[in-house]
Amino acid sequence: MILVADSGSTKTDWCLISDGNRTEKIRTSGINPFFQSETEITATLKKELVPRLSKIETIDAVYYYGAGCSGNEINSRIIRSIEYSGIPAQKIEVCSDLLGAARALCGNTEGIAVILGTGSNSCLYNGKEIVRHVAPLGFILGDEGSGAALGKRLVADCLKGILPVGIKEELLESLQLSETRLLERIYSQPYPNRFLASLAPFIHRNRHKPEIKELIEREFSLFFERNIAFYPSHLTTIHATGSIAYHFAETWRALAPKFGKEMERILPSPLEGLVLFHQQKQEKP
């Protein structure tokens, strides 16, 4: 039995595979070691995941793909958190969410793989490993095209008076917040990236309004200009996963040709692709 995890800042999806068959899918809170301590991550696993695994005596391997898992030191924190939480795993492998996206989207073939969710990321994958990567830099310095970046732009443009007053009033009413409370929510409470990304449904509902349409296209264009432009130009096909890729697929597909690209495979989550990837690995002699 193996356990595959796809973890982002907002949510983590887990899937148990027994004898090559999926037995259970579990969703827990998001995990990101850049924003959470080892203690916090362990507590989340103990509270939300371990009780769902109580009838399982042994898990042969945990394959964890997560946001923020970018090096041995950080990955070791996730490994220790899984161990300390009491998950009965004989083997734990922690990889970046980007490698997970590449495996889910491209399998064993070369391609440009993209994550567009709470944050954004991209890479050139050769069918086995990531061979080129443009640093995403997080929602303060980067994450262009992501939910957090869209939310940040929306709030900033509303409060600066760039967007019409009606849109600002509709936003504040939907959040049940004043301007002051909105700023406090962003600057004084935990996980501002998750909060900003939570504004994506509001943006999606209003995507046909000219001002919001322009905001979306401007932010998505930045993703191409500041990320995709640095990969080999002969690779014109892009595969993407994540809520922003999936729910705004029409806009992404319409915008990509302006940058000489085509958005081909778009998945709401990499989990299904990762489950298939590891099922196929199990089947190989």
Side-chain angles (χ1 to χ4, degrees):
M1 178 174 287
I2 67 173
L3 180 62
V4 179
D6 165 47
S7 182
S9 295
T10 301
K11 61 180 174 60
T12 302
D13 287 326
W14 308 77
C15 188
L16 280 166
I17 304 172
S18 179
D19 297 324
N21 298 311
R22 283 168 267 190
T23 61
E24 187 174 6
K25 186 176 177 181
I26 303 166
R27 175 165 289 179
T28 64
S29 299
I31 294 171
N32 191 322
F34 272 125
F35 302 117
Q36 295 166 284
S37 68
E38 212 170 290
T39 301
E40 290 173 318
I41 295 169
T42 302
T44 295
L45 295 176
K46 280 185 175 180
K47 179 182 179 182
E48 301 181 25
L49 179 62
V50 172
R52 301 285 296 274
L53 305 175
S54 60
K55 295 180 181 179
I56 299 172
E57 294 183 2
T58 303
I59 294 174
D60 297 313
V62 174
Y63 297 100
Y64 179 98
Y65 298 90
C69 297
S70 57
N72 291 334
E73 181 181 347
I74 292 177
N75 293 1
S76 294
R77 295 184 208 165
I78 298 294
I79 291 173
R80 288 193 295 269
S81 296
I82 292 172
E83 291 174 338
Y84 296 160
S85 71
I87 295 172
Q90 295 184 343
K91 171 188 173 183
I92 302 169
E93 182 179 300
V94 175
C95 303
S96 69
D97 57 346
L98 191 55
L99 180 59
R103 286 177 170 176
L105 292 164
C106 303
N108 297 310
T109 60
E110 181 186 43
I112 296 174
V114 165
I115 297 173
L116 293 160
T118 299
S120 68
N121 210 340
S122 63
C123 71
L124 173 60
Y125 175 70
N126 68 0
K128 294 182 178 179
E129 60 186 1
I130 293 170
V131 294
R132 192 162 182 178
H133 174 231
V134 177
L137 300 180
F139 77 104
I140 295 176
L141 299 178
D143 273 358
E144 297 87 3
S146 70
L150 285 172
K152 183 170 69 170
R153 179 67 64 185
L154 173 69
V155 173
D157 286 4
C158 280
L159 299 188
K160 283 179 176 289
I162 296 171
L163 289 173
V165 173
I167 292 177
K168 181 182 77 170
E169 291 175 346
E170 184 181 347
L171 174 65
L172 295 175
E173 183 178 352
S174 70
L175 295 172
Q176 294 293 292
L177 293 172
S178 65
E179 290 188 29
T180 301
R181 292 295 186 187
L182 176 56
L183 290 173
E184 287 178 355
R185 177 62 187 83
I186 294 168
Y187 286 104
S188 302
Q189 294 188 31
Y191 312 123
N193 59 326
R194 292 185 191 178
F195 172 73
L196 290 168
S198 75
L199 305 181
F202 176 90
I203 295 171
H204 187 266
R205 286 196 305 273
N206 290 279
R207 66 190 183 282
H208 299 301
K209 293 180 179 178
E211 300 87 356
I212 297 295
K213 183 175 183 289
E214 182 183 353
L215 180 154
I216 295 167
E217 292 181 353
R218 184 168 68 246
E219 190 58 45
F220 288 0
S221 293
L222 286 174
F223 179 77
F224 285 101
E225 294 168 4
R226 297 175 65 82
N227 297 276
I228 300 304
F230 295 97
Y231 297 114
S233 58
H234 72 277
L235 293 172
T236 58
T237 300
I238 300 170
H239 307 295
T241 183
S243 58
I244 300 301
Y246 185 73
H247 291 293
F248 291 87
E250 183 180 349
T251 304
W252 283 110
R253 288 199 163 106
L255 195 62
K258 297 180 181 179
F259 297 89
K261 304 296 180 183
E262 178 186 2
M263 299 292 286
E264 189 173 281
R265 189 176 300 115
I266 298 179
L267 302 177
S269 163
L271 186 65
E272 291 300 315
L274 283 172
V275 168
L276 180 62
F277 178 85
H278 284 285
Q279 283 176 319
Q280 292 173 340
K281 279 185 65 177
Q282 279 190 311
E283 290 169 2
K284 289 181 180 179

